[in-house]
Amino acid sequence: MMSKYVGVLIVGIFLLLLIIAEWLGFAGLRWGAEAGLVFGTLFIAYQSRKDRASIAENHRQQVLAAQRFKSIKPVCEEMKQILNHEAIVIDQEALRIDTIIKEAVQVLGDSFHNVNMYSDQQRDLIKELIRRTNPGESAEDGDHFNMPVFLFETGSVLDQFVDMMMTMSRNSLDTVHHIDDMVTQLDGIFALIENVEGLASQTNLLALNASIEAARAGEAGRGFAVVADEVRSLSISSADLNCQIRERITIAKDTITQLHATVSKIAATDVSDTLATKERVGSMLANVAEINNYVVEHAGMMNVLGEQLDGAVNDAIRSLQFEDISSQALASLHNNINTLNQIADQMHQIKFDNEDQMDEQFKNLSLRCRLLREEVQSRSAARTVTQTGLKAGGVEIF
Amino acid sequence: MPINSAVSSDNKRVMINITDRFDYGLHQSFRNSYQMVNEAGVIYSINLSRATYMDSSALGMVLLLKEHAEKKGGSVIICKPHPAVAKILKIANFDRFVTIEN
């Protein structure tokens, strides 16, 4: 285009030169100016032709470019759509995962809390069990019952029982001995009564003889006969009395014989089998003591296990912090989605009706994309440094 | 006789020997074996090596003998109890009352 103005300028200069030559009347200069004028005109004509050809070429190029951009436009539109769509889907899924994890962690946290509580209760029960079964523990607090004390008391009661049985044997035997002595005494009394009976009967005979002798003496023995009769009746009374005594003592002896039989039965009762139960109960108590020791030993082991269980539960509770980390990770997904949306927006902002600025627009798009990429990369690097894993996190019990 | 007794020449020791069953049936003869001994400080030794059984009344008899002996400053020794007899002596903790020599 410039060359066209150059041609006009040349023509103008030579025209001015021709006027000056005409005015001054320099024929040489005029011819030179005319020749320059012709050259300028020719130059203009040539340039004009050349410009037209260039414009046509440009126009053709522009049409081609427009056609090319027209085919890129739906691609960009489609990419923008899919980027937006994918961003929405990822966003929804991230939200869903976040909710699921939060709910699950809530339930798990409650469960572990309960496990902790039950474990504490269990440990209290085991401690009580140990207290009641352990020989080392004191049971002097009255209302509580301790197995070793029970075993000791039972052994004492059994010993008392055996002693009582022996004392009973001794006492009943002593009674039997006394009854035996009494029977011996009664037999002595019977012998004495027999002697007295003999005396009475001899007195009776003597009185009879006296009566006979008194009768033979006639009138002189009458008084003596009265005395002899009295003596005789006394001897008869004495015999009656003896008879009554014998009857009474016989009854007493029968009673004592019955008493002897009864006490003998008691004394003869063999309780050694009953005493032998002491040994059986003793061995049963030994078994109980053994079981008790077993319980003590295993309750102690259960106590240790309970502590280990607590430790495991606490580890599990600590592990629940993955919720925080996953939440942060999901939150960082939002940044990535934003990046996608921003790219989509940039693509959407390309104006396809202005072909002249297409290159410029694409250059801008490329630049924006590079900046976004660098931003995302630096963010990722920062996150990798802060979140290496669960172990790096602090211990938090809730 | 399942029971016989002998008194030593110095009257200081009474040996009572029981064979077979030592039970209530012997109470009279067991008593007779010591009842007449009234010397002071007599040691009564009961040999139970051939007694295969001892019942609870026999334990009572030995206790009465012990009382009789201690009244006069004497004592009672059970000698070589048969295993079956030793068992019931152990159940009754009889070594609390008399000396048991195996």
Side-chain angles (χ1 to χ4, degrees), chain A residues 324-338:
Chain A
D324 294 344
I325 294 169
S326 66
S327 276
Q328 286 167 21
L330 289 171
S332 80
L333 272 185
H334 279 292
N335 293 330
N336 299 81
I337 292 161
N338 276 341

Side-chain angles (χ1 to χ4, degrees), chain A residues 159 162-163 166 169-170 173-174 176-178 180-181 260 264 267-272 275-276 278-279, chain B residues 24 27-28 31 34-35 53-57 59-61 63-64 67 87-88 91-94 96-97:
Chain A
D159 282 341
V162 168
D163 283 356
M166 276 198 301
S169 279
R170 179 226 163 264
L173 265 176
D174 202 24
V176 168
H177 288 165
H178 285 126
D180 285 346
D181 290 348
H260 186 270
S264 287
T269 304
D270 186 5
V271 293
S272 54
L275 294 186
K278 181 205 165 190
E279 209 183 26
Chain B
Y24 180 74
H27 83 278
Q28 195 62 57
R31 188 188 185 207
Y34 66 81
Q35 202 177 16
Y53 184 77
M54 181 174 187
D55 76 352
S56 54
S57 65
L59 295 173
M61 290 179 219
L63 286 178
L64 286 175
E67 285 168 25
K87 193 177 162 187
I88 192 162
I91 290 171
N93 294 327
F94 221 64
R96 286 178 296 165
F97 310 118

